[in-house]
């Protein structure tokens, strides 16, 4: 059975399940090389439909049902000579339930509370949903709480979006604000609630930015306290707030917490497919990793033959190295398949990487670290690992002393732990490097999504001062003259 899941409108994406196994996934923003794309994943689907001409089910998800939209998509498949055995369906359920299905089945829990907090969901009470809390078991779903948007009292996701816009960051740049606010000091004088006009009148000061982050964290914690359960799952775009995630992990240390690494709308094509499969009384298998996107199958002749230890030597000489291998990471984080790596012990490491990335100097850098060494450098609390960079733990003295380039203004660092089975090449690089940690940031330039295919990788290479790319699948090194 072949089930095609499609996320339309915001952050379009598509995936294909063969029975209960995910066999293909792609994000339109990475396919076309633009951060902000909408509507329908035309170009991503072209890559899939070269190999599949007959599908059993196609399930769409977005914000609200539209008969005209389904008709348009039916016309698209007719034009592409694709046969769908069953009628195309649009999940006419709330946007948030698709987030919840995706995150619950990927969490591995048999029973859990799902917290969906984002900027905008489906139509609800003459406006739209902003926060939902569900209770999931394998065969039952209950909605415990749902909140509608109000201009006079902004909910968590909408509030964070509003303050991001107020500080002149673009759509999808909430992460920049998270790094920016770390330079301020929370004043703990925030209001009990904020309207849209309140946000517009906030003074543009670092301490105000930090206070806004504190307000978000406190209100989020209040919500979770009210619906606390032994297993809790967090999704929606706000689950990318890794500073808040770490504080939730610390505060609810007696519970099992899971933060969905595909919490943005790009993951909802998978959630829609899960809903279709489970409606057919089938089971789905938990995603073991999120290396799901495009793979580079061939590269030109002329690149230099190298081994992992050769790349380690280049890193120890102080050079930035692009690591390209396997399928592109799903979601916004680089996890060693489309990464830029650098020695974090260098005093000018931030400047070197910022020169290549052409990005703002106030933004923090993430790291990849051997799982067994993580707690030596960072206070990992009760976390066994954080393989998807979903937490920003506090730095210990060893980190501040030996890898200060990775420690942000608030004494945190977004961390990816790496074990031998998580990413074999990245693990080998870390194992053989002089310290068990590397600065790791996404292989792209400012304003662009993570480079996915070979042409995007080489375009980034040409437009930056980067000198080395290691194509690990081929054991080849591309060197700029």
């Amino acid at each position: 059975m072949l089930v095609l899941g499609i996320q339309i409108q915001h952050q379009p994406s598509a995936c294909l399940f063969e029975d209960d196994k995910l066999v293909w996934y792609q994000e339109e923003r990475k396919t076309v090389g633009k951060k902000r794309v909408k509507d329908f994943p035309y170009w991503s689907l072209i890559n899939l439909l070269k190999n599949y001409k007959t599908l059993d089910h196609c399930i769409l998800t977005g914000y609200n049902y539209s008969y005209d939209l389904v008709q348009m998509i039916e016309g698209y498949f007719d034009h592409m000579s694709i046969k769908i055995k069953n009628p195309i369906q649009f999940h006419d359920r709330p946007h948030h339930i698709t987030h919840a299905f995706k995150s619950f089945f990927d969490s591995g829990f048999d029973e859990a509370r799902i917290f969906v907090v984002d900027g905008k969901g489906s139509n609800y009470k003459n406006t739209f949903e902003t926060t939902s809390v569900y209770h999931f078991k394998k065969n039952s779903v209950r909605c415990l709480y749902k909140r509608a948007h109000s201009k006079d009292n902004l909910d968590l996701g909408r509030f964070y979006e509003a303050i991001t816009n107020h500080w002149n960051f673009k759509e999808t740049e909430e992460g920049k604000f998270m790094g920016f606010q770390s330079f301020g000091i929370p004043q703990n004088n925030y209001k009990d609630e904020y309207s849209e006009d309140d946000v517009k009148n906030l003074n543009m000061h670092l301490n105000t930015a930090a206070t806004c982050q504190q307000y978000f964290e406190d209100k989020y914690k209040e919500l979770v306290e009210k619906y606390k359960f032994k297993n809790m799952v967090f999704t929606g775009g706000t689950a990318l707030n890794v500073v808040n995630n770490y504080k939730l992990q610390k505060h609810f240390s007696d519970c099992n917490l899971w933060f969905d690494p595909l919490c943005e709308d790009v993951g909802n094509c998978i959630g829609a497919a899960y809903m279709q499969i489970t409606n057919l009384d089938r089971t789905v298998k938990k995603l073991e990793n999120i290396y799901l996107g495009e793979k580079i199958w061939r590269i030109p002749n002329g690149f230099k033959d190298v081994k992992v230890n050769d790349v380690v030597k280049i890193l120890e000489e102080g050079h930035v190295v692009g690591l390209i291998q396997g399928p592109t990471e799903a979601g916004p984080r680089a996890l060693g398949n489309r990464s830029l790596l650098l020695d974090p012990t260098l005093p000018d490491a931030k400047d070197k990487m910022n020169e290549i990335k052409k990005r703002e100097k106030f933004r923090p850098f993430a790291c990849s670290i051997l799982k067994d060494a993580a707690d030596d450098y960072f206070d990992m609390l009760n976390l066994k690992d954080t393989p998807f960079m979903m937490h920003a733990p506090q730095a210990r003295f060893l980190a501040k002393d030996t890898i200060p380039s990775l420690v942000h203004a608030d004494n945190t660092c977004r961390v990816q732990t790496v074990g031998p089975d998580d990413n074999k090449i990245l693990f080998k690089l870390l194992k053989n490097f002089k310290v068990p940690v590397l600065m790791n940031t996404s292989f792209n330039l400012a304003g662009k999504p993570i480079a996915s295919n070979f042409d995007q990788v080489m375009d980034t290479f040409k437009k930056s001062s980067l000198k080395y790319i290691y194509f690990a699948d081929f054991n080849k090194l591309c060197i700029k003259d």
Side-chain angles (χ1 to χ4, degrees):
M1 181 179 69
L2 295 172
V3 176
L4 177 65
I6 301 177
Q7 161 69 23
I8 60 173
Q9 298 164 332
H10 181 59
Q11 294 185 343
S13 60
C15 69
L16 183 71
F17 277 78
E18 187 168 351
D19 295 324
D20 61 354
K21 183 180 180 182
L22 181 65
V23 295
W24 178 87
Y25 168 91
Q26 213 158 311
E27 299 169 19
E28 188 77 350
R29 62 188 178 187
K30 292 177 183 173
T31 304
V32 301
K34 295 180 180 179
K35 267 194 174 181
R36 287 168 283 280
V37 292
K38 296 184 184 297
D39 299 326
F40 187 74
Y42 295 102
W43 294 103
S44 296
L45 281 169
I46 286 174
N47 292 338
L48 168 70
L49 300 177
K50 292 174 184 175
N51 302 313
Y52 294 89
K53 294 300 179 185
T54 301
L55 303 171
D56 294 287
H57 298 274
C58 176
I59 186 74
L60 307 174
T61 188
Y63 289 101
N64 298 294
Y65 177 81
S66 167
Y67 178 73
D68 291 340
L69 183 60
V70 173
Q71 282 191 314
M72 181 271 289
I73 293 170
E74 287 174 341
Y76 170 80
F77 284 118
D78 286 341
H79 176 72
M80 298 294 291
S81 300
I82 304 301
K83 180 183 178 182
I84 311 291
K85 292 181 181 179
N86 295 281
I88 294 174
Q89 297 182 52
F90 193 109
H91 265 312
D92 195 17
R93 303 189 195 181
H95 174 75
H96 283 184
I97 196 69
T98 315
H99 275 298
F101 261 84
K102 157 71 177 63
S103 59
F104 173 69
F105 284 103
D106 282 345
S107 71
F109 295 136
D110 292 327
E111 184 178 9
R113 291 272 158 87
I114 317 296
F115 296 82
V116 186
V117 184
D118 62 8
K120 181 181 180 181
S122 296
N123 290 346
Y124 179 64
K125 290 186 175 180
N126 298 318
T127 176
F128 51 83
E129 59 187 356
T130 55
T131 292
S132 302
V133 181
Y134 298 94
H135 190 91
F136 265 69
K137 292 184 181 180
K138 287 293 186 182
N139 297 311
S140 70
V141 180
R142 287 186 295 131
C143 182
L144 305 180
Y145 171 79
K146 187 175 289 288
R147 177 163 170 169
H149 169 62
S150 168
K151 292 182 179 180
D152 296 326
N153 183 4
L154 293 176
D155 200 11
L156 290 168
R158 207 66 180 175
F159 170 78
Y160 216 86
E161 185 177 278
I163 59 173
T164 299
N165 293 337
H166 180 57
W167 259 264
N168 296 319
F169 296 115
K170 298 177 183 177
E171 179 188 351
T172 75
E173 292 187 343
E174 288 85 356
K176 289 186 180 181
F177 179 82
M178 187 171 57
F180 175 78
Q181 62 81 28
S182 299
F183 291 90
I185 301 172
Q187 301 302 295
N188 296 317
N189 60 349
Y190 56 73
K191 299 178 62 174
D192 188 55
E193 59 186 46
Y194 284 86
S195 68
E196 287 187 357
D197 289 337
D198 289 334
V199 171
K200 292 175 183 176
N201 291 317
L202 289 173
N203 64 315
M204 301 285 277
H205 191 280
L206 283 172
N207 290 348
T208 307
T211 303
C212 288
Q213 171 73 19
Q214 186 68 54
Y215 170 84
F216 171 81
E217 293 170 3
D218 290 346
K219 291 296 182 181
Y220 205 122
K221 185 172 68 175
E222 286 178 17
L223 173 71
V224 179
E225 284 278 14
K226 188 174 181 179
Y227 295 97
K228 182 180 176 182
F229 190 68
K230 60 180 180 180
N231 301 322
M232 297 190 288
V233 175
F234 302 89
T235 187
T238 60
L240 289 175
N241 193 312
V242 292
V243 175
N244 183 52
N245 293 354
Y246 180 76
K247 291 178 180 178
L248 290 174
Q249 191 79 39
K250 184 174 183 177
H251 185 78
F252 297 99
S253 59
D254 57 333
C255 302
N256 302 308
L257 276 58
W258 194 77
F259 300 87
D260 187 356
L262 288 183
C263 57
E264 296 178 290
D265 288 0
V266 289
N268 275 2
C269 64
I270 298 174
Y274 282 171
M275 294 169 76
Q276 178 67 24
I277 294 166
T278 54
N279 282 345
L280 296 170
D281 292 326
R282 304 289 183 94
T283 59
V284 293
K285 290 183 178 178
K286 175 185 176 182
L287 287 180
E288 296 299 329
N289 65 68
I290 57 172
Y291 301 115
L292 301 172
E294 287 186 272
K295 184 175 181 178
I296 296 172
W297 295 100
R298 61 181 63 88
I299 60 175
N301 296 325
F303 294 168
K304 182 181 178 181
D305 291 325
V306 289
K307 296 180 180 179
V308 168
N309 282 341
D310 297 320
V311 179
V312 170
K313 184 177 179 181
I314 294 170
L315 287 166
E316 290 184 341
E317 290 172 351
H319 299 288
V320 177
V321 176
L323 174 58
I324 305 295
Q325 60 173 329
T328 311
E329 301 91 336
R333 312 292 194 216
L335 302 172
N337 279 21
R338 300 291 186 277
S339 288
L340 293 170
L341 305 177
L342 181 61
D343 178 358
T345 68
L346 297 174
D348 61 345
K350 285 184 179 180
D351 293 337
K352 279 193 171 188
M353 194 67 86
N354 277 328
E355 180 185 351
I356 288 172
K357 295 272 289 186
K358 302 177 181 178
R359 69 175 209 164
E360 300 91 343
K361 291 185 177 181
F362 66 80
R363 294 174 63 188
F365 281 103
C367 78
S368 298
I369 188 168
L370 289 178
K371 183 163 63 174
D372 292 344
D375 201 53
D376 295 334
Y377 287 81
F378 303 99
D379 183 359
M380 298 298 290
L381 302 176
N382 59 340
L383 289 166
K384 294 179 181 178
D385 56 17
T386 176
F388 305 125
M389 284 189 182
M390 294 301 288
H391 297 84
Q394 287 284 311
R396 295 193 189 278
F397 174 79
L398 182 61
K400 291 183 280 188
D401 184 51
T402 60
I403 51 171
S405 63
L406 293 174
V407 181
H408 194 43
D410 58 357
N411 196 48
T412 67
C413 177
R414 191 170 77 240
V415 169
Q416 176 200 11
T417 56
V418 183
D421 298 323
D422 294 325
N423 186 311
K424 288 180 168 53
I425 294 296
L426 184 55
F427 179 81
K428 288 180 181 178
L429 289 170
L430 291 165
K431 194 75 174 174
N432 290 283
F433 193 63
K434 61 185 180 181
V435 290
V437 56
L438 285 165
M439 179 182 283
N440 176 5
T441 188
S442 53
F443 194 106
N444 65 311
L445 301 182
K448 292 284 188 178
I450 296 173
S452 184
N453 57 50
F454 180 77
D455 288 343
Q456 291 171 355
V457 168
M458 296 311 293
D459 184 62
T460 303
F461 188 55
K462 292 173 184 175
K463 291 178 178 177
S464 73
S465 57
L466 182 66
K467 294 183 179 179
Y468 299 96
I469 304 177
Y470 176 39
F471 290 95
D473 294 336
F474 309 93
N475 288 316
K476 297 285 187 179
L477 189 70
C478 178
I479 305 172
K480 185 179 289 180
D481 296 331

